[in-house]
Amino acid sequence: MVSEIPNRDRALAERVRRQILDLGASPIGTIACVDSWIEDFRKDIPRNDVPTMIIHGDDDRILPPDATSRRQAKMIKNVKYVESKGGSHGLTWTRADEVNAELVRFLA
């Protein structure tokens, strides 16, 4: 699945795959989570009453920001929206330092 990410090179896709397996991700659980991707959680968004941060790469070709995060940010009260310039899918692996810095600022 990771090797199919269109805007990532093969070395990175292989590194991400190894990291997922090294973390102990269950192959069964990894496949089973796919069913949740089609769940529509939009009706739950108005009930969110905690500060929320969305971090998304503006070059994500798997879940483009126009179809996902930008729309979601408009639905959430008290949201901090951060868009990573040139960031692709999987920011926590490809831009961990940037994500961590944003999280520290948000949680401070």
Side-chain angles (χ1 to χ4, degrees):
M1 175 168 56
V2 174
S3 63
E4 299 302 316
I5 297 174
N7 57 337
R8 294 288 42 149
D9 60 50
R10 289 177 192 230
L12 177 60
E14 178 59 25
R15 189 178 89 219
V16 170
R17 186 191 67 77
R18 277 191 316 250
Q19 287 177 342
I20 291 170
L21 295 175
D22 289 347
L23 289 171
S26 158
I28 294 170
T30 301
I31 296 299
C33 80
V34 173
D35 289 341
S36 71
W37 296 350
I38 60 170
E39 184 71 26
D40 185 353
F41 293 103
R42 287 177 290 184
K43 66 183 179 296
D44 298 324
I45 291 174
R47 296 192 323 229
N48 179 39
D49 62 357
V50 296
T52 302
M53 180 170 66
I54 297 173
I55 305 175
H56 200 119
D58 70 352
D59 195 30
D60 187 338
R61 297 182 198 168
I62 305 297
L63 297 167
D66 280 339
T68 57
S69 60
R70 291 178 189 149
R71 292 171 56 192
Q72 188 175 17
K74 292 175 184 173
M75 299 173 163
I76 300 173
K77 297 175 194 155
N78 200 16
V79 68
K80 177 180 181 185
Y81 180 69
V82 178
E83 199 161 277
S84 177
K85 182 145 179 66
S88 62
H89 195 75
L91 287 178
T92 54
W93 277 294
T94 59
R95 298 192 174 193
D97 291 341
E98 180 182 342
V99 171
N100 288 335
E102 290 294 344
L103 285 170
V104 167
R105 279 193 286 277
F106 180 71
L107 296 171

